[in-house]
Amino acid sequence: VKDKSSVRVKVLRYGKIHDFEIETVNLDHDTTDRVLLWAGAVLQKLPSAVSHQKGISAEKGGIYISSITRGSPAQKYKLQPTYRIVEIDGKETLTLDDFSKAIQHKQDNSPVRIKTVDLKGKVFVTTLRTDLQYWPTYDMRLEDSEKKDDCVLEPIQNPGEENTSNLIIQQEIEVDQNVETEMYSNSKTSVNMVTDKNWKRIHIN
């Protein structure tokens, strides 16, 4: 199908063969280069495969929940993997930058009203209470590196929160041709990361 605008396919359906002309779609290389770790949920931009398969606008589709950690506020307040966050506290929140701005001044144990949409278009609303002591927020960004890969985990500083810079972990890892997986952890959180690339933490407030 390479370089073809459409292809003809034969489909066996209910005992009969049907011919269809199917348009092809050129998919860009879809690398996840940024994730937010928030309240036990891993948030990212909408994957292009989901956008194309479900007919969801990549620009207006919202923030994709790729996974949830057991025992986290995200699980307790019924956020679900594959749901999309479209509003925070009544304000449209369609990008990771929108989300960062919406939650960056939240205190520990603050309520956050979240509107989500599942892949079938059904809307859900829940109010989550933050737990910044055990589930702080991280903004992870991917940078290519030809040398060693280093990972810096740096908690986002919240208003009134004690500085936790002494808990930051920074390691340099020799990366082989084989992809290695390492666990980075401190007294507050742990993150599984694949170390074939260079991930760095960035403050957002």
Side-chain angles (χ1 to χ4, degrees):
V1 300
K2 185 178 180 180
D3 299 326
K4 291 185 177 180
S5 60
S6 65
V7 294
R8 291 200 64 82
V9 298
K10 291 182 181 292
V11 178
L12 180 63
R13 182 178 294 169
Y14 301 115
K16 294 183 179 180
I17 296 178
H18 303 268
D19 288 315
F20 294 99
E21 184 82 16
I22 306 295
E23 293 184 359
T24 61
V25 176
N26 184 27
L27 297 178
D28 295 329
H29 183 62
D30 193 19
T31 300
T32 300
D33 56 6
R34 183 186 179 189
V35 295
L36 289 181
L37 311 181
W38 179 74
V42 178
L43 310 178
Q44 65 177 83
K45 67 179 181 181
L46 187 68
S48 61
V50 176
S51 176
H52 286 290
Q53 290 174 16
K54 299 298 181 179
I56 302 169
S57 168
E59 291 75 24
K60 297 292 184 179
I63 302 158
Y64 189 74
I65 304 174
S66 61
S67 66
I68 297 293
T69 304
R70 290 184 179 181
S72 67
Q75 183 191 42
K76 178 179 179 180
Y77 294 101
K78 309 300 182 183
L79 296 184
Q80 298 291 337
T82 74
Y83 281 24
R84 294 169 290 119
I85 297 173
V86 294
E87 281 187 13
I88 294 293
D89 292 334
K91 295 182 179 180
E92 188 175 65
T93 309
L94 301 179
T95 68
L96 293 176
D97 285 336
D98 291 343
F99 188 90
S100 296
K101 292 175 183 177
I103 58 89
Q104 66 180 348
H105 296 302
K106 292 289 184 180
Q107 301 280 353
D108 188 26
N109 202 38
S110 294
V112 183
R113 190 171 183 268
I114 307 167
K115 179 187 283 189
T116 59
V117 183
D118 69 11
L119 293 179
K120 295 182 179 179
K122 189 175 181 179
V123 175
F124 302 86
V125 177
T126 186
T127 299
L128 177 150
R129 282 198 173 272
T130 60
D131 183 353
L132 300 179
Q133 181 178 0
Y134 296 103
W135 301 96
T137 306
Y138 295 91
D139 185 347
M140 308 295 298
R141 304 195 186 198
L142 180 64
E143 296 181 358
D144 290 327
S145 174
E146 296 180 356
K147 300 179 180 180
K148 296 179 180 179
D149 287 328
D150 64 321
C151 173
V152 181
L153 290 186
E154 197 170 307
I156 292 171
Q157 193 70 27
N158 291 282
E161 183 183 18
E162 182 180 352
N163 191 312
T164 55
S165 58
N166 61 317
L167 297 178
I168 296 172
I169 295 174
Q170 180 171 345
Q171 294 187 4
E172 290 187 345
I173 302 166
E174 293 286 355
V175 178
D176 222 338
Q177 289 183 348
N178 299 321
V179 175
E180 302 175 8
T181 301
E182 296 287 337
M183 175 72 82
Y184 298 86
S185 63
N186 59 28
S187 63
K188 289 190 174 185
T189 190
S190 61
V191 182
N192 279 312
M193 298 192 63
V194 178
T195 60
D196 62 332
K197 299 280 187 175
N198 191 29
W199 284 92
K200 289 189 177 181
R201 261 302 278 103
I202 299 174
H203 277 289
I204 60 172
N205 69 334

